Amino acid sequence: MSKPSKNATPLVDMKNIEKHFGGVVAVNNVSANLYAGEVVGLLGHNGAGKSCLMRILSGAMTPNEGVISVNGEKVELKSPLDARDLGIETIYQTLALANHLNAPSNLFLGRELKTPFGNLDDKRMLEESRQVLHRLNPNFKNLLDPVSSLSGGQRQVIAIARAIYFNVKILIMDEPTAALGPSETAMVSELIQELKNQGIGIFLVSHDMHDVFDLCDRVMVMNKGRNVGTHHIEDVTKDDVLSLIIKGELPGGWTPGKKEAVQ
Amino acid sequence: MVEFFAQLRARGASFRLSKGAFHRISAILTVLILIVIFSVASPAFSSTNNAMTILLQTSVIGMLGIGLTLVIITGGIDLSVGSVLALAGTVTGLVIKAGVPVLPAMFIGVAVGALCGLINGFVVTKMRITPFVATLGMMMMARGVALELTGAAPVSRLGESFSILGQGRLFRIVGEGPHGLPSVVFPGIPYPAILLLLVALSVAYLLRRRATGRHIYATGSNEEAARLAGVKVDRTKIIAYTLSGALAGLAGIVLMSRLGTAQPNEGVMYELDAIAAAVIGGASLMGGVGTIGGTIIGAFIIGILRNGLNMAGVSSFIQQIIIGFVVIVAVYIDQMRNRR
């Protein structure tokens, strides 16, 4: 795993982000960044503020304070459309699918393909969907059924396909493997590697320590709305990360690269 | 072997009817059964003349139903269409009285309906008031304005040209009778029925072929998902309510033109007939489901029931009971089918 050089411009730079709901502080002065071709794992308890932070980056929520830069340029993400225009795509934990619509309609929702007369080009959308879905899951055949009648895995595949079909540069994956079986999980891991090699930056929100250590270059842990540590994956052990998640601090006597020192 | 079964299953699946097609066929079948029953009960029912009357009677409910279908698919409801119908009709009448020619006056009427719908959409999306309450308020206000403007009196003597839209017929053929008196060979297709067809075709086109239509379905199916996918949910809803209002305005003009006078008391409880038409046609009040074809069939089921029961001499009270019963049964069958 290549470490991105420190002086390159980060793909995403979030500085001093704050979000509160009334008196409740959900995200407390958090800074995070993401480089091209890098996977950053985002860990923390439920309610630690990681989903909130990701919703801010995907434009679904506006922060009270803080600056977000994409490719070194300051941006304002007022709506999911703004984020999409910058190549920020999100796979939501809830999948965010319209249950009564079929797979192609969901895949292209909000950016439908149209004929020159401005009509929906359902034929082309079906064809494109068939290709991209087939790549992710060769058994995906019932494309014209409403997605409510599909299996959890198929629904997940649609959500993933929707994020990578368009010109994605920054991908936010919120628990992408939660609804998947072993073979589909392996497929997602493979996909993450492939996207990474294409220079796409990925934020991976996960509870699965195994996934995080397998796929991520860096890991960022949130606790009670604060960023309690961002580390290169080689510098920490699973126990260190668990300690960060639970206590909000590293175990006593921790030094970077302890793993190598022990071996 | 496994492959063989897979092939077989695939072939079987292609024969199975899609849910929408099944619903359509069962609804059309219902219409046909009703026609057969009423024809037996009363010979006059199956005459061409009566068929055209049914077309005419169903046009108004059909137009209201189409508008409501749009709103219902977004997961909302529009209780104001009956009152908006009355307001648009009376405004048209008053404007004609004030000296505006009939055609521009009718456009003003439709615009008044659209404005009411726009306000509904604004209250629902920007003020975040539930559709039921928002349109209930509009229902009272529109009716109140119509009564206030006219002093609760019908606006009459609007001239012949005002009645053309509601009373005119296409392809009317009048032959010569036995005593040299004119006799009607073919009563002609009422203009309102043609207008209904045009409205149905254009709204069906909007729903099936345009992005706005797709967004209307997506908004009703999962509003949050639609928003996250970049659909302008508020705008989509406002479009649906505005179209519902405009169609209510159009229906009002058609109805008043048919009556020859603009009456502020018309259209009471029409919204319930229109909702019933949409629901019988398969629209779900939970949103995300509904078609124009279904709603038209639903409107005709209600229209044929009313007309046939009238011809058979059934009292209007009994008619209410039967139609109420049909609504419940239709929705129940629909639910059973979806649970399968």
Side-chain angles (χ1 to χ4, degrees), chain B residues 102-171:
Chain B
V102 169
L103 202 61
M106 287 181 168
F107 278 108
I108 290 172
V110 175
V112 166
L115 181 68
C116 292
L118 185 69
I119 295 170
N120 278 337
F122 186 83
V123 172
V124 168
T125 56
K126 305 296 177 195
M127 291 169 67
R128 309 221 165 274
I129 291 177
T130 54
F132 189 95
V133 176
T135 58
L136 186 69
M138 177 56 76
M139 170 179 158
M140 295 175 181
M141 289 192 290
R143 179 73 62 190
V145 173
L147 290 168
E148 180 64 33
L149 284 177
T150 56
V155 185
S156 51
R157 272 174 298 166
L158 294 167
E160 292 241 322
S161 53
F162 178 68
S163 302
I164 292 173
L165 179 67
Q167 297 173 5
R169 286 166 183 236
L170 192 67
F171 304 132

Side-chain angles (χ1 to χ4, degrees), chain B residues 60 64 80-90 248-249 251-252 255-256 266-267 270:
Chain B
V60 169
L64 295 180
S80 68
V81 291
S83 299
V84 170
L85 167 148
L87 178 61
T90 47
L255 182 64
M256 305 303 177
E266 268 300 327
Y270 273 30

Side-chain angles (χ1 to χ4, degrees), chain B residues 251-268:
Chain B
I253 290 158
V254 168
L255 182 64
M256 305 303 177
S257 166
R258 201 174 96 204
L259 300 170
T261 55
Q263 304 197 9
N265 286 315
E266 268 300 327
V268 177

Side-chain angles (χ1 to χ4, degrees), chain A residues 84 97 99-100 112 119-120, chain B residues 205 209-210 215 221-222 229:
Chain A
R84 283 186 158 190
L97 298 174
N99 274 333
H100 299 94
E112 290 82 2
N119 291 331
L120 293 172
Chain B
Y205 166 76
R209 305 293 310 149
R210 305 298 294 192
H215 294 170
S221 179
N222 187 342

